[in-house]
Amino acid sequence: MRTNPLITLTTDFGLDDPFVGVMKGVILTVAPRAQIVDLSHGIPPHDLKEAALTIGTNYRFFPAHTVHVVVVDPGVGSERRPILVIAGRHYFIGPDNGVFSFVYEREIASLRVIHITASRFFLREESPTFQGRDVFAPVAARVARGMHFMNFGAPISDFVKSELPKPKLGRNALRGEVIHIDRFGNCMTNIRRSEIDSLARLHPAATFRPFFRRKEVPLKKFYAQAKDEALCAVINSSDYLELFVNRANAAELFRISIGDIVEMKRNA
Amino acid sequence: MRTNPLITLTTDFGLDDPFVGVMKGVILTVAPRAQIVDLSHGIPPHDLKEAALTIGTNYRFFPAHTVHVVVVDPGVGSERRPILVIAGRHYFIGPDNGVFSFVYEREIASLRVIHITASRFFLREESPTFQGRDVFAPVAARVARGMHFMNFGAPISDFVKSELPKPKLGRNALRGEVIHIDRFGNCMTNIRRSEIDSLARLHPAATFRPFFRRKEVPLKKFYAQAKDEALCAVINSSDYLELFVNRANAAELFRISIGDIVEMKRNA
Amino acid sequence: MRTNPLITLTTDFGLDDPFVGVMKGVILTVAPRAQIVDLSHGIPPHDLKEAALTIGTNYRFFPAHTVHVVVVDPGVGSERRPILVIAGRHYFIGPDNGVFSFVYEREIASLRVIHITASRFFLREESPTFQGRDVFAPVAARVARGMHFMNFGAPISDFVKSELPKPKLGRNALRGEVIHIDRFGNCMTNIRRSEIDSLARLHPAATFRPFFRRKEVPLKKFYAQAKDEALCAVINSSDYLELFVNRANAAELFRISIGDIVEMKRNA
C-alpha cells in the first residue's frame, strides 16, 4: 500500500444527509490508512458545470497520485458508464458525463480513460441509486492502495466531453461571462490571465480594460486596494478575472448572476 | 493501540459552531492516531428518530471495531445515563434515550449495553451542558485505542428502546410512511425490501404495487428509468421503498412530508 | 517529522466553496501525515470578533503542539502582516488583525509573535486574494512538521490587539452582554464563572443573580433542570454565563440578539 494514500471527494450530496460519511466508511474498510479530504459537497444538485469547474481548477493543489472522486450524476444507475481517468499524475473516478472535461483539456498530453467494469470490486453488483458508495468508493480505495488501473476495465476513447463556456474573441474585445459566485459574493468569470496576456501580445499598442454593463471596472491587484462599495476587478487566485467589492458582497449589491457578460475591451 | 482506530460522529450540532471540532480535539488528545469520520451533523436539533435512523441504517458500512458516537440529547446533564453499546462487532457511545433502537433490533443476538460511570476518564466530573466533549469523546477515544468495555461501567438491561415507526400489515396492503427526505427531495419510507418480499411469499398469486394518495406509483429499478416529472418509486440503496422524481425534487413538487402514508397495495 | 502533527482550521469560507479543501491539499502536499481538524468554517464573513472568540475559547481542548490556522481576513493582500504566534505550547497562524486577541490575553506569560516573511515557503510570492492557500497553509504544514519558528521571520511586539467586550463592574451589578448564539439558540454572554466567583468574594454577605430585561432569570446547573418554555441561565461548558430554554430556541422565543445586556445583580 502507498504510505499516505490521499482521496478527495466532490459531490452534490450536501452534508446534512449521511451519504458522504457512508462513502468514507466504505473507503476506509478497503484502505484503512487513506486520508480523505472533502473538496466540496456543496455543488448544487445535478450541476455538472459547477462540478467540472470545481475539480478542474483545484486538483493541481493536491500531491501527485491523489485519487479524486466526483459524484454529480443526474443519470445514476442508467447506461452511463463509471470511469477512471489517469491524467497529469492524478486519478479521477466518477460518471462518464463530462464532469472531467476541464481535466481532459488541461492534461490532454497524458490522458487515459478506463471504463470501470470490474464488478468484483463493487459493494453490490447492481447499484440502483447510490453508485458513489457501491462503485466509486471501493474502486477509489483500491486505486489509492496502489492497484494498477488496468485491473478495473478497458481503455476507451469515446468518453463524454462537455463544451466549457469559453470567452469569445472579437475585434476590440474579449467577451466572457460569470461562471461562479462564491460565499463572499465574488464573481469569477471564465476569462483567464493567460488570455488577457495573449490579447496584450496580439495588440501591443492597445490597452484592454474590464467592462461590465457598459462601464469600466477598475482592475486592482488585491481586494484591499479597492475603495469601499465600488465594483472592481482582480485576477484571482485561480488566475481568472473576478468582479468584487471590498469587504462586501458584489453579487448582492450589483445583482450579478451566473452567465452575466464581462468583457476585456480595447481602450477607445 | 489498534493500528487504525476509526470513530464516527453523528450529532445535531451543525457545522457552524465549533462543537464538533472540539470533540475531535479531545479525541485526538487521547487517541492521536484515530481517524474520525463525520456521519452527519445535520440531524435536526433534538430529533431522536432521525438520529436513530441515521446510525441504524449506516453503521454497517464501516469496518468492524468502529466506534460510533451519537450526540442527540434533549436531556443533557439530567439523570439520563451515558451508555456504551457493543453490538455486531461495532461500538456505540451516546445517551440512553433510545437513539440506538435500530441497532438493538438488528443486533439483538450480540447485544451488550454498559452504563458508563467511570468518571476518571471524563474531561470533567460534572458536565452541565456538553457531555459530547466531556464524557463521550474521551470514552470513545479509549474504546478506539482498545481499552476493554468492562473498564467503563457495569452492564444494564433496562436501557431505553423507542418504538420505531413500522409499516402495518392489513388484508390487502402494507401501510407505511415517509420517514426521511434527503437533499434531493427523495422520500424514503419505512417499508423495507424484505417486507415486500414476505408479502409476495404470503400471497404468491397476487401482485403488490406502491400507492401514494390513492394513485399507483410506478416502481422503477433506478432513477434514470423514470420519465421526467413523474412521481415514481424505487427500492433505494438502503433497501427501503422510496418515492422520487427523476432529476427533480419530489418532496417539493408533490409537497410530501415526513409521516405521509405510502402503501404497497394488492392488485384489484 | 512529528509523529502525529495536528492542524486545526478556522475560517469564514463556509463549506460550499472548495477553499477549505484546497488548503488541505496544500498542507498534505508538504506534511502528508498531518491530521487536519475543522474547528469552524461557519464564522460569518469578515467577523473578527466571532473568530477571536472561537479560537480563543477552544484551542485548549487540543493537544500541545497543535497548529491552529485562522483565516478571517477583511484585509487580504494589503499591508496587513501574516503572523505566527507561539503561546501556551500551541501555535497560531493567521493575519495580524487582532483575531488572536483572546489567546494573547490568556497566554501573556509565554507569548511570542513572529512576522512571517520567509516567502521561500509560500506557494506564490504574491497572493492577491487567497493567503490561506498560498501563505498560511504551507507555513502551517512546515510548523506541524517541526520546523523551528525562527525560520519564518523575526519577532515583533507591535502586533494588533483588539478590545474584547468585557463585562463592567458597577456597585451592585456586573453588566455583560450576549456575545454568541449557537445553533440551539443558546445565548452565551461574556460573563465568566471566575468573574461571578470574584463578585461573591468581594461581597460575601450578598447574593448575585442573573437578570435579563429587568427580570430575574433562574440559574440552573444543567439544561434539563429548567421548566419547559422558561428562560433560564446556566454556567455553560466554556465557563460563561448563558441564557437558554430547555429543548427550545431561546434566541428565537425571546428575540435575543448579539449585544443584548445581561447582568449579575445584587439581591435587593
Side-chain angles (χ1 to χ4, degrees):
Chain A
M1 199 189 306
R2 287 223 178 75
T3 18
N4 299 291
L6 182 55
I7 295 173
T8 78
L9 303 180
T10 302
T11 76
D12 57 358
F13 293 165
L15 289 170
D16 282 348
D17 294 301
F19 303 140
V20 173
V22 164
M23 282 184 65
K24 293 180 183 172
V26 173
I27 288 170
L28 293 170
T29 302
V30 177
R33 300 170 62 183
Q35 274 258 32
I36 307 172
V37 169
D38 299 306
L39 185 54
S40 171
H41 300 291
I43 307 292
H46 305 156
D47 189 337
L48 285 175
K49 259 193 200 170
E50 179 79 15
L53 185 71
T54 297
I55 189 65
T57 55
N58 292 303
Y59 71 90
R60 64 195 172 96
F61 293 104
F62 289 83
H65 308 299
T66 299
V67 181
H68 304 276
V69 180
V70 179
V71 197
V72 177
D73 190 11
V76 57
S78 65
E79 291 306 299
R80 193 266 309 125
R81 299 173 293 190
I83 54 174
L84 163 61
V85 177
I86 305 99
R89 304 183 72 205
H90 287 252
Y91 300 93
F92 301 86
I93 291 170
D96 181 28
N97 58 15
V99 82
F100 299 122
S101 296
F102 271 88
V103 176
Y104 299 153
E105 198 173 89
R106 295 193 172 199
E107 306 288 353
I108 191 74
S110 73
L111 195 64
R112 274 184 227 233
V113 181
I114 306 290
H115 175 195
I116 300 171
T117 52
S119 60
R120 65 187 178 281
F121 299 128
F122 300 172
L123 213 60
R124 304 178 171 208
E125 182 79 21
E126 268 189 56
S127 180
T129 64
F130 195 0
Q131 289 204 333
R133 181 192 74 193
D134 298 337
V135 176
F136 302 137
V139 169
R142 284 179 175 85
V143 174
R145 286 185 63 147
M147 188 179 275
H148 193 272
F149 59 82
M150 289 308 289
N151 289 287
F152 299 100
I156 55 173
S157 57
D158 63 340
F159 48 87
V160 176
K161 277 159 279 187
S162 307
E163 258 327 295
L164 304 167
K166 290 252 177 82
K168 288 180 189 64
L169 187 63
R171 240 170 47 120
N172 292 309
L174 185 66
R175 187 184 165 90
E177 61 185 89
V178 173
I179 54 172
H180 178 72
I181 297 174
D182 72 21
R183 167 180 166 97
F184 299 94
N186 302 322
C187 303
M188 177 170 149
T189 75
N190 60 346
I191 298 176
R192 303 180 64 175
R193 179 198 296 274
S194 57
E195 291 160 338
I196 297 175
D197 291 349
S198 310
L199 214 56
R201 277 194 305 273
L202 273 166
H203 305 276
T207 331
F208 287 81
R209 295 196 176 130
F211 275 75
F212 180 66
R213 293 180 188 153
R214 293 161 187 269
K215 279 194 196 153
E216 188 182 331
V217 179
L219 185 62
K220 304 295 180 183
K221 286 228 162 172
F222 48 85
Y223 297 144
Q225 269 188 340
K227 266 194 240 157
D228 281 1
E229 295 176 31
L231 186 69
C232 294
V234 71
I235 308 289
N236 74 9
S237 62
S238 300
D239 288 320
Y240 285 86
L241 185 71
E242 178 180 296
L243 303 182
F244 74 97
V245 174
N246 190 26
R247 302 181 190 224
N249 190 307
E252 277 179 17
L253 284 173
F254 291 86
R255 300 177 185 231
I256 302 172
S257 308
I258 302 274
D260 282 7
I261 301 299
V262 178
E263 293 176 288
M264 289 300 295
K265 261 180 150 164
R266 190 178 197 145
N267 224 9
Chain B
M1 199 192 303
R2 289 223 178 76
T3 19
N4 298 293
L6 182 54
I7 295 173
T8 78
L9 303 180
T10 302
T11 76
D12 58 357
F13 292 166
L15 288 170
D16 283 347
D17 294 302
F19 302 140
V20 172
V22 164
M23 282 184 65
K24 293 180 182 172
V26 173
I27 288 170
L28 293 170
T29 303
V30 177
R33 300 171 61 183
Q35 274 260 31
I36 307 172
V37 169
D38 300 305
L39 185 53
S40 170
H41 300 292
I43 306 291
H46 303 156
D47 189 338
L48 285 174
K49 260 193 203 168
E50 179 79 16
L53 185 71
T54 297
I55 190 66
T57 56
N58 292 302
Y59 70 90
R60 63 195 172 96
F61 294 104
F62 289 83
H65 308 299
T66 299
V67 181
H68 304 275
V69 180
V70 179
V71 198
V72 177
D73 190 11
V76 58
S78 66
E79 290 307 299
R80 192 268 311 128
R81 301 172 291 190
I83 54 172
L84 163 61
V85 177
I86 305 99
R89 306 183 69 206
H90 287 251
Y91 300 92
F92 301 86
I93 291 170
D96 180 27
N97 58 14
V99 83
F100 298 123
S101 296
F102 271 87
V103 176
Y104 299 154
E105 199 174 88
R106 295 195 171 198
E107 305 288 352
I108 191 74
S110 73
L111 195 64
R112 275 184 227 231
V113 182
I114 306 290
H115 176 195
I116 301 172
T117 52
S119 60
R120 65 187 178 282
F121 300 127
F122 300 172
L123 212 62
R124 303 177 171 207
E125 182 79 23
E126 267 190 56
S127 179
T129 63
F130 195 1
Q131 289 203 333
R133 182 191 75 194
D134 298 338
V135 175
F136 302 137
V139 169
R142 284 178 175 87
V143 173
R145 288 186 61 149
M147 187 178 277
H148 194 271
F149 60 81
M150 290 307 290
N151 288 287
F152 300 99
I156 56 173
S157 55
D158 62 340
F159 48 88
V160 175
K161 276 159 283 189
S162 307
E163 258 327 293
L164 304 168
K166 289 251 176 82
K168 285 179 191 66
L169 187 62
R171 242 172 43 120
N172 292 309
L174 185 67
R175 188 184 163 90
E177 60 184 90
V178 173
I179 54 172
H180 179 72
I181 296 174
D182 72 21
R183 165 180 168 99
F184 299 94
N186 301 322
C187 303
M188 176 169 149
T189 74
N190 59 346
I191 299 176
R192 301 180 65 176
R193 179 198 297 274
S194 58
E195 289 159 339
I196 297 175
D197 292 348
S198 309
L199 213 57
R201 275 194 304 275
L202 274 167
H203 306 276
T207 330
F208 287 81
R209 295 199 175 125
F211 276 75
F212 180 65
R213 291 179 191 154
R214 293 159 189 266
K215 280 196 197 150
E216 188 182 329
V217 180
L219 185 63
K220 303 295 181 185
K221 285 229 163 172
F222 49 85
Y223 296 145
Q225 269 188 339
K227 266 193 241 157
D228 281 3
E229 294 177 32
L231 186 69
C232 294
V234 71
I235 308 289
N236 74 9
S237 63
S238 300
D239 288 320
Y240 285 86
L241 185 72
E242 178 180 295
L243 304 182
F244 74 97
V245 175
N246 190 25
R247 303 180 189 224
N249 190 307
E252 278 179 15
L253 283 174
F254 291 85
R255 298 174 187 237
I256 302 172
S257 308
I258 302 275
D260 281 7
I261 302 300
V262 178
E263 293 176 286
M264 289 300 295
K265 261 179 151 165
R266 190 176 194 147
N267 223 10
Chain C
M1 199 191 303
R2 287 222 180 76
T3 20
N4 299 292
L6 184 54
I7 295 174
T8 78
L9 304 180
T10 302
T11 75
D12 58 358
F13 292 166
L15 288 170
D16 282 348
D17 295 301
F19 301 141
V20 172
V22 164
M23 284 185 63
K24 292 179 184 174
V26 173
I27 288 170
L28 293 171
T29 302
V30 177
R33 299 171 62 182
Q35 273 258 31
I36 308 173
V37 170
D38 300 306
L39 186 53
S40 171
H41 301 291
I43 307 290
H46 304 156
D47 189 337
L48 285 174
K49 258 193 202 168
E50 180 77 17
L53 185 71
T54 297
I55 189 66
T57 56
N58 292 303
Y59 70 89
R60 64 195 172 95
F61 293 104
F62 289 83
H65 309 301
T66 299
V67 181
H68 304 276
V69 180
V70 180
V71 197
V72 177
D73 190 12
V76 57
S78 66
E79 291 307 298
R80 190 269 310 128
R81 301 173 289 191
I83 54 173
L84 163 61
V85 177
I86 304 99
R89 306 184 68 207
H90 288 252
Y91 300 92
F92 302 86
I93 291 171
D96 180 29
N97 58 14
V99 82
F100 298 123
S101 297
F102 271 86
V103 175
Y104 299 154
E105 199 172 88
R106 295 193 171 197
E107 306 289 352
I108 191 75
S110 72
L111 196 64
R112 278 184 226 230
V113 182
I114 307 290
H115 175 195
I116 300 171
T117 52
S119 60
R120 67 188 177 281
F121 300 126
F122 300 172
L123 212 62
R124 304 177 172 209
E125 182 78 22
E126 266 190 57
S127 179
T129 63
F130 195 0
Q131 288 204 333
R133 182 191 74 193
D134 298 338
V135 175
F136 302 137
V139 169
R142 284 180 174 83
V143 174
R145 286 185 63 147
M147 187 179 274
H148 194 273
F149 59 82
M150 291 307 289
N151 290 287
F152 300 99
I156 55 173
S157 56
D158 62 341
F159 48 88
V160 175
K161 276 159 281 189
S162 308
E163 258 328 294
L164 304 167
K166 290 252 177 83
K168 286 180 190 67
L169 188 61
R171 240 172 43 122
N172 292 309
L174 185 66
R175 186 185 164 90
E177 62 185 87
V178 173
I179 54 171
H180 178 72
I181 296 175
D182 72 22
R183 165 177 167 98
F184 299 93
N186 301 321
C187 304
M188 177 170 148
T189 75
N190 59 345
I191 298 176
R192 301 180 64 175
R193 179 199 298 274
S194 58
E195 290 160 338
I196 296 175
D197 291 348
S198 309
L199 214 58
R201 276 193 304 275
L202 274 167
H203 305 276
T207 332
F208 287 81
R209 295 197 175 127
F211 276 74
F212 180 65
R213 294 183 189 151
R214 293 160 189 267
K215 281 195 196 152
E216 189 182 330
V217 180
L219 186 62
K220 303 296 180 184
K221 285 229 162 169
F222 49 85
Y223 297 145
Q225 270 188 339
K227 267 193 242 158
D228 280 3
E229 295 178 30
L231 187 69
C232 293
V234 70
I235 308 290
N236 73 10
S237 63
S238 299
D239 288 320
Y240 285 86
L241 186 72
E242 177 180 296
L243 304 183
F244 74 97
V245 174
N246 190 26
R247 304 180 189 223
N249 190 306
E252 277 179 16
L253 284 174
F254 291 85
R255 299 175 185 235
I256 302 173
S257 308
I258 301 275
D260 282 6
I261 302 299
V262 178
E263 293 176 288
M264 289 299 296
K265 259 179 151 166
R266 190 179 197 145
N267 224 9

